[in-house]
Amino acid sequence: MQTDQIICARDGAVGRITFNNPSRHNAMSYDMWVGGEAAIKQLLADGETRVIVLTGAGEKAFVAGADISKFAEERGTEDAIAEYNAAVASFQNTLGTAPLPTIAMIGGYAIGGGLAIALCCDIRIASDDSRFAIPAAKLGLGYAASGINTLMQIVGPSFAKEIFYTARQFDAEEARTMGLVNRIVPRADLQATVDDYTRRIGENAPLTIHAAKTAIGELVKPESDRDMRLCADLVLKCFGSEDYQEGRTAFMEKRKPQFKGR
């Protein structure tokens, strides 16, 4: 599904997805959830992308939740609600299980579903004027246990309770204290900081990064559900790769390695 409210582009090894609904603080509609998932899949399939950055258009927000103006149209019946929820879940699953590194570049509000998008990313870098909240308790809605678990894995049970119980907005420093974001930087430095991260990630060995991301994903599961054979196989793939040969050669020759992901 095509929508001009999702902008997908690639600059070298960096794929960029922009939520483009600034008049509504980039609040998400059904079309944006579907289009966003399509954009992620497009970047994963192109064979050139090594890291994906998600961000919001304008200066006010990353994503400020769902677009309430669309509720009557998109969530007016039981069937429509089910279809909408399925689109959200599919987007989050595609982002959360993406084999490439993902970065949420947060400038401004990351509220409700917007924060959930950021939590699906591997790394969250925020401007110092950003704000975060999950206002479910102010709306009387139930929040799926899977979403709560994603938050709890990042901030721990106590902070997860504080976020849900109070439903208040947290500033960037509070978010960093909780572990909700990896870094906060002045607004003027946000783009440069993210660009530095993507450069570093893009220059490193893709197979090593994929093996690490897979292992971390398995290790946060209950022990009985972990696929440790997969983790071991990916480590062996690294040692058998051309990139491993290139890395050692470059080190001996005191030059920057040129990794190819094979």
Side-chain angles (χ1 to χ4, degrees):
M1 181 176 294
Q2 300 296 316
T3 172
D4 60 4
Q5 293 181 330
I6 295 291
I7 300 172
C8 180
R10 181 171 60 81
D11 178 13
V14 183
R16 302 184 191 277
I17 297 172
T18 303
F19 303 105
N20 184 37
N21 188 15
S23 65
R24 296 194 177 277
H25 291 179
N26 302 318
M28 297 290 286
S29 65
Y30 174 84
D31 287 354
M32 291 174 71
W33 291 113
V34 175
E37 180 182 6
I40 296 167
K41 289 181 175 178
Q42 176 183 327
L43 293 172
L44 293 176
D46 72 8
E48 300 293 332
T49 304
R50 293 192 181 183
V51 55
I52 298 174
V53 177
L54 291 86
T55 192
E59 297 294 318
K60 298 293 186 180
F62 174 71
V63 172
D67 189 346
I68 297 175
S69 71
K70 297 278 190 178
F71 275 18
E73 172 188 348
E74 297 179 347
R75 304 170 78 173
T77 67
E78 186 173 333
D79 288 344
I81 291 171
E83 183 177 7
Y84 182 95
N85 289 345
V88 175
S90 187
F91 171 93
Q92 292 179 345
N93 181 67
T94 299
L95 177 58
T97 61
L100 296 178
T102 55
I103 299 176
M105 185 173 82
I106 303 167
Y109 293 106
I111 307 295
L115 181 52
I117 292 172
L119 293 174
C120 289
C121 293
D122 298 324
I123 297 170
R124 287 159 294 282
I125 301 174
S127 62
D128 54 6
D129 58 352
S130 293
R131 306 283 293 185
F132 305 84
I134 298 178
K138 290 184 176 181
L139 302 171
L141 57 85
Y143 209 93
S146 58
I148 294 175
N149 183 58
T150 299
L151 175 67
M152 190 174 68
Q153 292 279 2
I154 293 169
V155 304
S158 184
F159 280 130
K161 290 173 183 177
E162 181 180 355
I163 290 168
F164 274 98
Y165 291 2
T166 67
R168 72 179 181 89
Q169 288 189 12
F170 297 85
D171 64 27
E173 185 56 47
E174 289 176 304
R176 180 168 61 177
T177 298
M178 293 187 289
L180 197 60
V181 297
N182 297 72
R183 296 283 182 270
I184 56 172
V185 297
R187 166 73 75 155
D189 297 338
L190 180 59
Q191 185 67 63
T193 301
V194 172
D195 287 348
D196 180 63
Y197 269 63
T198 59
R199 177 187 59 79
R200 292 173 183 273
I201 293 170
E203 290 176 351
N204 288 334
L207 295 179
T208 302
I209 292 172
H210 176 55
K213 177 167 182 172
T214 300
I216 293 167
E218 293 299 317
L219 290 169
V220 298
K221 296 177 181 178
E223 188 171 356
S224 60
D225 294 339
R226 296 172 186 169
D227 189 343
M228 301 312 295
R229 173 62 63 86
L230 172 61
C231 297
D233 288 346
L234 291 176
V235 170
L236 290 176
K237 186 176 180 180
C238 291
F239 283 116
S241 69
E242 294 178 21
D243 279 354
Y244 179 52
Q245 301 292 332
E246 167 65 8
R248 290 185 299 162
T249 301
F251 179 81
M252 296 300 294
E253 295 177 353
K254 297 182 179 180
R255 62 173 175 82
K256 183 177 293 187
Q258 300 296 316
F259 294 120
K260 299 179 180 178
R262 61 176 186 264

